[in-house]
Amino acid sequence: MKILQISFILLWRAWFFLINIFLVPLWAGASIPFLFKDKYYHIAYWFHQMWARSNLFLMGFWYVLEKEKEETLDKNKQYVIISNHSSIMDIMLIYSLMRNHPLVFVGKAELAKLPFFGFVYRRSNILIDRKNLSSCMQVFKQIQEKVDSGKSVCLFPEGGVPNPSIFLDHFKSGAFSIAIIKKIPIVPFTIADIKTKFPSFPIIKGGPGKIRIKQHHSISTKNLSLKDKNFLKEKCFNLIKYQLEKFEREKIKNDN
């Protein structure tokens, strides 16, 4: 890789941190007064969306969304959102996609340690320490409480951003257990391209451009029980894996 190209990528990465020095206090900070009561969460959620959409725009990303038969999600329903996970930009994409469905993310507890952002993150989302069993059990309870208060939930079933060499990591069961227990439909998304355009590692790779996203049909859990959890998990894993492979074939074809 040429030195000029590496220099551009490093400057572009630095730009990401620079704009968030401004965007986090602006959008996330403005949401703070609305985070203390559930009935105002939809206002806080709007500010979170502005933060996410501003990031995508200023970093030079735009997405093309493909839906199966143009399925429209019911804005009066709750959903469990799942997706493959390869970058922090996945969070911003989900915020942008789910405009009419205020949701909370289940994410790493480590992010709560960040100055200022950590406070907003902690108030807005559910934090999990996967090394702590009691934390995982408490998170499961918190998710149910959020659902009971009318919010949708987003979980990345890979359990975090996997090593870049892993195409799609094994799914954990939490998202599927919650969906079955609460009888909430699952909406799987497949996000392509961001793994190469804004990878978590190495930081000398990436660049702005188009992100392809597939919104799959929502999957009903109305007639499922917890004994169907593994079947549901495998179904969603295969669905996303197949679509990622399809996106990859399309990219290779277009590059040739």
Side-chain angles (χ1 to χ4, degrees):
M1 189 180 291
K2 296 180 180 179
I3 294 178
L4 186 62
Q5 185 179 2
I6 294 176
S7 299
F8 169 79
I9 294 172
L10 290 176
L11 285 172
W12 180 68
R13 289 275 189 163
W15 169 241
F16 173 73
F17 290 102
L18 183 63
I19 61 176
N20 274 287
I21 290 174
F22 173 73
L23 288 179
V24 169
L26 175 64
W27 294 121
S31 73
I32 290 176
F34 306 102
L35 290 174
F36 295 94
K37 288 190 177 182
D38 282 336
K39 65 179 180 179
Y40 298 128
Y41 184 75
H42 65 285
I43 301 176
Y45 187 72
W46 183 86
F47 285 113
H48 296 164
Q49 284 188 320
M50 291 302 102
W51 166 75
R53 291 159 65 183
S54 297
N55 261 289
L56 292 171
F57 174 76
L58 292 171
M59 291 301 291
F61 291 123
W62 68 93
Y63 64 83
V64 176
L65 178 63
E66 176 188 346
K67 295 183 180 181
E68 294 193 25
K69 296 182 180 179
E70 294 299 317
E71 180 182 21
T72 301
L73 300 182
D74 187 341
K75 65 180 182 180
N76 296 314
K77 281 187 177 181
Q78 296 165 268
Y79 297 92
V80 172
I81 310 301
I82 65 166
S83 170
N84 57 304
H85 196 21
S86 53
S87 167
I88 189 175
M89 287 294 173
D90 296 330
I91 295 172
M92 301 175 192
L93 288 165
I94 296 295
Y95 268 135
S96 299
L97 291 166
M98 300 299 291
R99 297 184 184 185
N100 298 316
H101 296 84
L103 57 80
V104 296
F105 286 87
V106 178
K108 294 180 179 179
E110 291 86 349
L111 292 177
K113 299 176 183 178
L114 295 174
F116 189 75
F117 175 83
F119 174 80
V120 178
Y121 181 79
R122 186 167 58 249
R123 293 292 310 183
S124 307
N125 302 294
I126 299 170
L127 311 183
I128 182 169
D129 180 359
R130 296 191 183 278
K131 298 177 182 179
N132 187 328
L133 180 60
S134 63
S135 171
C136 294
M137 295 174 65
Q138 183 63 29
V139 162
F140 201 79
K141 180 181 178 182
Q142 289 179 44
I143 294 174
Q144 294 188 68
E145 290 173 352
K146 294 293 185 183
V147 169
D148 290 340
S149 69
K151 300 178 183 68
S152 293
V153 182
C154 179
L155 299 95
F156 297 106
E158 290 174 278
V161 177
N163 187 291
S165 63
I166 299 174
F167 187 71
L168 182 66
D169 210 350
H170 297 293
F171 282 4
K172 300 184 184 303
S173 301
F176 311 99
S177 297
I178 284 292
I180 290 172
I181 290 171
K182 290 299 185 180
K183 302 302 178 188
I184 297 176
I186 290 180
V187 180
F189 284 94
T190 301
I191 301 174
D193 307 309
I194 203 70
K195 188 171 187 175
T196 55
K197 293 186 183 300
F198 201 84
S200 296
F201 183 83
I203 63 170
I204 59 170
K205 290 186 177 181
K210 180 177 73 173
I211 309 300
R212 294 168 296 167
I213 304 174
K214 175 67 174 284
Q215 178 184 318
H216 302 276
H217 276 306
S218 58
I219 302 171
S220 174
T221 59
K222 187 180 296 184
N223 298 317
L224 300 182
S225 66
L226 281 176
K227 67 181 180 181
D228 301 306
K229 176 184 62 180
N230 290 333
F231 165 78
L232 183 60
K233 178 171 65 174
E234 185 176 354
K235 178 179 180 177
C236 290
F237 178 88
N238 290 334
L239 192 68
I240 292 175
K241 183 173 183 288
Y242 174 81
Q243 185 62 45
L244 281 173
E245 291 170 342
K246 184 179 179 182
F247 277 141
E248 190 68 22
R249 290 193 299 269
E250 290 173 355
K251 183 178 184 300
I252 293 172
K253 182 180 178 180
N254 293 332
D255 289 345
N256 291 333

